[in-house]
Amino acid sequence: MSRVLIALLGLGLIGSPAHGITLTQVTTDPGTDLHPSWTPDGQTLVFEANRSGTRQLYKIPATGGVAQQITTSSQHNDHPEVSPDGTYIAFRKRVGSAQHIYRIGINGGAETALTSGLIEDWGPTFSPDGGTIYFARKYNLDEWDIFKVPAAGGPTQIVMSAPDYHGYPSVSPDGLWIAVEGGPFAGVDINIFEFEVANPSNIRQVSFETANTGQPAYKTNGSRVGGVSRRLNNHLDLYEWDRTSLGHARVTFDAEEIADAGSVFPAYSPDGTKVAFASKRVTGDYNIWVLDISEQPIPVDLLSFQVSSTDDGVLVSWRSAGDASDVAGYHVHKGPEVGHLER
């Protein structure tokens, strides 16, 4: 860690989850636990795990405890997403060589197929009102498009079609945009893009990394898109990208502290104070973790920085170690409002 970064940590302006930030290990079982999704009350996490020989859905208190199995079929069930009202879960079921979108009650029970056919559908995510489920559909080896289906069942409709790969859709809190990971485009690895629901041809790039970056998840207030990137030393960590300035901030430092730990599949709590994710940071197996970000300063990797006073607080500007031409800043207000990223 650079002396500059240590100095700013001392000022309380930026920091790492490894330094004074609450990080809770939610699951501890051996195996692979992935894809956490919050219930709307913020008390429970639904996730997928391979504890029974096939991938099944489980739920567990967000503070840890005993996991309860939700699905019990012999097929793989994964990619869970809890509905906005908390009554049921959308997920992907593998049916023979196909993959379909299903739904099930939050406590289990009968499963309902929402898509069918010899296709691959995955990555379900809800509209804010819970009436629509968006998902990715694979046509061939390298082409995926975004579709939607009524959450209560009905015909599927294509939402966005573009060359190459698009996956892991995430709907903005206002329901107006959908973020996806996509690429490669013009020789660039996978990055995060978002498109307008009302005008899908309006596509804008959110991340501009030279290493694979994806698994987008909108922050609860919609100001940023979280995701996973290999931008530093090809290690997987969580980052956030400001949707206006396109500045980025590093959220986890797992790979820096523990070789090959990796942080993946971020999911923000309904109140915006926490982010759940999967990591191999302790056991070498993927477990579910929760990071408290309610008072988390913005972490960055610095080449240079400048601190200047403003009428309403302090402006910290920096030059990113990932891209020497990328100048961003963080405005720390005097009042209770959290600052914002800006170029």
Side-chain angles (χ1 to χ4, degrees):
M1 184 179 292
S2 70
R3 287 177 299 207
V4 170
L5 184 53
I6 291 174
L8 289 180
L9 281 167
L11 292 174
L13 298 181
I14 63 176
S16 155
H19 298 84
I21 303 299
T22 302
L23 182 63
T24 302
Q25 184 174 0
V26 178
T27 65
T28 58
D29 282 44
T32 301
D33 301 340
L34 297 170
H35 286 104
S37 179
W38 294 86
T39 54
D41 62 5
Q43 299 301 305
T44 302
L45 287 166
V46 174
F47 64 99
E48 65 174 80
N50 60 353
R51 301 178 184 182
S52 61
T54 57
R55 304 205 63 76
Q56 301 295 334
L57 307 187
Y58 294 79
K59 64 178 181 178
I60 192 171
T63 54
V66 178
Q68 300 177 27
Q69 190 168 342
I70 298 172
T71 57
T72 58
S73 68
S74 60
Q75 306 284 350
H76 288 288
N77 301 297
D78 52 23
H79 288 227
E81 182 81 0
V82 180
S83 62
D85 65 4
T87 61
Y88 60 94
I89 304 162
F91 64 99
R92 176 181 68 171
K93 175 181 283 291
R94 303 192 184 192
V95 183
S97 61
Q99 301 174 19
H100 299 154
I101 304 302
Y102 274 64
R103 56 175 282 179
I104 190 172
I106 191 68
N107 295 315
E111 301 175 358
T112 301
L114 299 177
T115 67
S116 61
L118 296 176
I119 50 178
E120 293 185 32
D121 297 333
W122 63 291
T125 187
F126 284 92
S127 59
D129 64 5
T132 301
I133 297 174
Y134 296 91
F135 60 94
R137 171 168 288 178
K138 183 179 181 180
Y139 283 113
N140 54 53
L141 184 62
D142 297 313
E143 185 174 350
W144 298 73
D145 291 332
I146 305 303
F147 278 71
K148 66 179 180 179
V149 65
T156 60
Q157 293 179 284
I158 192 167
V159 177
M160 191 273 282
S161 179
D164 301 310
Y165 162 75
H166 298 83
Y168 289 107
S170 174
V171 184
S172 63
D174 60 11
L176 300 180
W177 293 83
I178 295 178
V180 295
E181 64 174 37
F185 298 99
V188 178
D189 286 333
I190 291 173
N191 265 286
I192 294 174
F193 297 76
E194 61 178 1
F195 66 89
E196 194 174 10
V197 174
N199 179 22
S201 62
N202 182 15
I203 303 174
R204 60 192 187 192
Q205 190 167 350
V206 177
S207 69
F208 292 81
E209 310 300 343
T210 57
N212 284 339
T213 298
Q215 299 174 9
Y218 283 97
K219 292 203 72 171
T220 307
N221 63 10
S223 63
R224 302 179 197 157
V225 179
V228 176
S229 181
R230 293 185 179 274
R231 71 182 310 272
L232 289 179
N233 302 319
N234 203 38
H235 292 314
L236 288 167
D237 266 308
L238 305 188
Y239 291 80
E240 293 177 356
W241 291 266
D242 187 88
R243 296 173 65 199
T244 301
S245 70
L246 305 181
H248 67 267
R250 191 175 179 183
V251 178
T252 65
F253 290 70
D254 282 2
E256 180 179 278
E257 297 168 2
I258 303 168
D260 299 322
S263 299
V264 294
F265 301 118
Y268 291 95
S269 63
D271 65 2
T273 64
K274 299 177 178 65
V275 59
F277 59 98
S279 175
K280 298 190 292 184
R281 58 178 293 120
V282 170
T283 64
D285 296 315
Y286 273 112
N287 288 125
I288 304 301
W289 295 75
V290 170
L291 174 66
D292 187 336
I293 56 174
S294 58
E295 297 181 358
Q296 181 186 2
I298 297 298
V300 292
D301 301 287
L302 304 177
L303 290 178
S304 63
F305 79 102
Q306 180 176 353
V307 179
S308 57
S309 298
T310 65
D311 292 338
D312 63 344
V314 176
L315 178 64
V316 181
S317 59
W318 64 81
R319 199 174 286 275
S320 166
D323 182 353
S325 65
D326 183 12
V327 178
Y330 185 65
H331 195 177
V332 183
H333 293 274
K334 291 179 179 177
E337 178 186 358
V338 177
H340 59 276
L341 287 168
E342 57 188 359
R343 281 185 185 277

